[in-house]
Amino acid sequence: MALVAFRFINGPRLALRRAYTPPKSIIIRAFSAIMSPPSRAVVYDRHGPPDSVTRVINLPPVEVKANDVCVKMLAAPINPSDINRIEGVYPVRPEVPAVGGYEGVGEVHSVGSAVQGLSPGDWVIPSPPSSGTWQTYVVKDQSIWHKINMEVPMEYAATVTVNPLTALRMLEDFVSLKAGDSIVQNGATSIVGQCIIQLARIRGIHSINIIRDRAGSDESKEKLKRLGADEVFSESQLEIKNVKSLLENLPEPALGFNCVGGNAATLILKFLRQGGTMVTYGGMSKKPITVSTSSFIFKDLSLRGFWLQKLMGTDKAKESRRLIDYLLDLAREGKLKYEMEVVPFDNFHIALSKALGMQGSQPKQVIKF
C-alpha cells in the first residue's frame, strides 16, 4: 500500500488517500493487452424476415487473446444459407443475438502473442466457415483462419468456400468420372451450376444443363455455353417423351445434380443412364422430388443428398483447404469465373433486398467493407 496525493479540479486542496497497488503480473497484463478496433456489424436479435430483423450497429473493441487473430474484413457475400439462418430455418445457426454472414475474406490486422504463421497484412478466409463475417473487424482463434494467395481477386476469395467448393465436392465424391463422361444438372445459372460447368470442362467431362423458362433465357444459354456448357435446355424444350434424343453424340449422363426439386428434378432422372446417380443439394422450387417406380426397378437409379456443412468440421479442415487453394488458383488464372456484384457496406440493405429477390433476378451480392 502507498500514500498518493490527489489534486481536485474544483479546488486547490490536496487529499491523501491510500492507493491499492495491484500485483506486478496484473500490471503487465493491463499494459500488454491487444484490443481490436471498434467494429460495425450487421446484427439480428431475433429470427424473422432479414430485411426486418437486421440492423447495422457499432460494436466496442474486444481483446485479442494469445491465440487470437484480429482480421479486418475486406468482403463477404450474402448467400441463401445466410438468409435462412436469419430466418431461423437453417439446421445449423448461431444463437441470437448474432452477427450475420458465414464466409468472406479479410486482412490480418493484429495477432496474439502465441500466434505463428500469420502476420499483419496477410489475407485469410475462415476455414471451416464461421458465423459473424458481416462486420468490419472479426476476432477469432488462429485455427479458424486460412492464409491465401493475395493475388486472387477479392470477390472470389470471399465466395470460394460455399458455392465453388460444393461444386467440386459433388463432382468428386459420388461417381468416379473420367474424361468423355457426361453430367446433367438443373439450376445451371446458379454459381454452383456455373462452377460445375467449368470444373467439368477442365476434366474433359461434358455437361448438359437445364434452366428455367423466363425472360432472358436465350442470353443465359449463351453465357453458359461461353463457360463451357455442351448443351443448355430450357424446361419447356424437354417436354417430350424421349429427352435423350436431344443428346446427339453425347453419352448418357452417369451423374446428375438437382437444386430445384419438382419437375426439374424429374427431368434430371429422365436423362440419367442405367445405374446413374442424382445428387440433391437444394430445393429452390420448394416442391418435392417425385420418382417413378420404374426408375428404381428398371434403371436402378440412386438418389443421394449433399450438405457441405457435414464436410466442414475441423477434422476435415486440411482437406477442404487443399481444395480451396486449388479453386482459388483457378480463379486467379481466369479458369473459374461467375457473375457477382460488389456493393459498399454502407449499402448493405440495398444488397440484401437484391439477395432476397425483391428487385428481380440479380447476381450474387458481395459486400465490400
Side-chain angles (χ1 to χ4, degrees):
M1 303 288 283
L3 292 177
V4 181
F6 289 83
R7 184 178 299 276
F8 291 82
I9 295 175
N10 61 354
R13 68 186 180 87
L14 294 176
L16 293 178
R17 295 183 58 188
R18 290 190 177 274
Y20 171 69
T21 303
K24 187 175 183 180
S25 61
I26 296 179
I27 294 175
I28 293 173
R29 178 174 175 81
F31 284 99
S32 64
I34 302 173
M35 304 297 291
S36 74
S39 187
R40 292 180 66 215
V42 178
V43 302
Y44 54 101
D45 300 314
R46 58 187 173 87
H47 294 120
D51 56 325
S52 299
V53 301
T54 57
R55 55 199 175 94
V56 179
I57 67 170
N58 294 319
L59 296 178
V62 298
E63 183 180 354
V64 181
K65 298 178 182 178
N67 291 307
D68 286 344
V69 177
C70 174
V71 173
K72 181 184 184 300
M73 294 303 295
L74 299 174
I78 303 177
N79 289 318
S81 56
D82 297 322
I83 292 169
N84 293 156
R85 285 184 178 88
I86 297 170
E87 293 170 334
V89 299
Y90 201 73
V92 177
R93 55 187 182 269
E95 293 184 5
V96 293
V99 177
Y102 192 60
E103 67 171 333
V105 63
E107 179 182 299
V108 174
H109 175 268
S110 59
V111 299
S113 59
V115 172
Q116 297 182 353
L118 291 175
S119 303
D122 289 341
W123 275 24
V124 292
I125 63 172
S127 178
S130 181
S131 60
T133 58
W134 292 352
Q135 58 182 316
T136 50
Y137 289 90
V138 178
V139 177
K140 290 184 183 287
D141 189 89
Q142 62 179 330
S143 62
I144 293 294
W145 302 108
H146 174 49
K147 183 178 176 180
I148 64 167
N149 189 331
M150 295 175 63
E151 295 180 1
V152 176
M154 178 185 65
E155 62 271 27
Y156 285 93
T159 57
V160 67
T161 304
V162 172
N163 292 148
L165 187 58
T166 290
L168 181 57
R169 294 304 304 250
M170 290 198 303
L171 277 170
E172 294 189 347
D173 289 359
F174 294 94
V175 174
S176 180
L177 298 169
K178 61 182 184 299
D181 286 341
S182 294
I183 60 97
V184 58
Q185 66 168 338
N186 56 36
T189 57
S190 68
I191 289 186
V192 173
Q194 294 176 57
C195 290
I196 285 173
I197 290 170
Q198 295 168 86
L199 294 171
R201 182 188 59 180
I202 290 170
R203 290 160 169 74
I205 297 166
H206 304 290
S207 66
I208 301 150
N209 303 274
I210 304 169
I211 64 174
R212 289 181 292 171
D213 289 281
R214 61 183 180 185
S217 58
D218 287 340
E219 181 182 353
S220 294
K221 289 180 181 180
E222 290 305 313
K223 285 183 178 179
L224 295 182
K225 292 213 170 172
R226 286 196 293 271
L227 291 178
D230 291 271
E231 294 288 354
V232 185
F233 301 108
S234 61
E235 292 182 10
S236 61
Q237 286 180 278
L238 302 177
E239 293 174 355
I240 59 176
K241 187 173 182 179
N242 182 15
V243 297
K244 293 180 182 179
S245 64
L246 300 172
L247 294 183
E248 297 182 355
N249 297 322
L250 293 181
E252 294 179 353
L255 181 61
F257 303 117
N258 164 52
C259 69
V260 181
N263 180 62
T266 302
L267 294 174
I268 296 288
L269 297 172
K270 288 182 177 180
F271 273 108
L272 290 177
R273 75 184 186 194
Q274 181 81 19
T277 298
M278 182 175 78
V279 178
T280 293
Y281 67 99
M284 293 191 300
S285 71
K286 299 183 179 179
K287 295 180 180 178
I289 298 169
T290 303
V291 186
S292 67
T293 302
S294 62
S295 294
F296 287 121
I297 296 176
F298 303 116
K299 291 186 68 178
D300 191 25
L301 298 183
S302 297
L303 303 185
R304 301 287 303 275
F306 178 86
W307 187 28
L308 183 66
Q309 185 84 29
K310 280 188 174 182
L311 303 173
M312 298 307 292
T314 53
D315 59 324
K316 299 181 184 295
K318 186 175 182 180
E319 180 184 6
S320 293
R321 290 176 177 185
R322 176 182 62 81
L323 297 176
I324 284 169
D325 288 342
Y326 165 71
L327 291 165
L328 290 175
D329 282 343
L330 292 179
R332 181 174 55 83
E333 296 166 3
K335 296 178 181 177
L336 184 68
K337 57 186 72 173
Y338 39 87
E339 189 177 2
M340 293 173 279
E341 181 179 1
V342 179
V343 182
F345 186 34
D346 288 342
N347 295 338
F348 170 78
H349 278 96
I350 296 175
L352 180 62
S353 70
K354 291 182 178 181
L356 291 170
M358 296 179 176
Q359 300 185 35
S361 179
Q362 298 287 336
K364 171 73 70 180
Q365 298 295 296
V366 180
I367 306 302
K368 182 179 179 180
F369 297 94

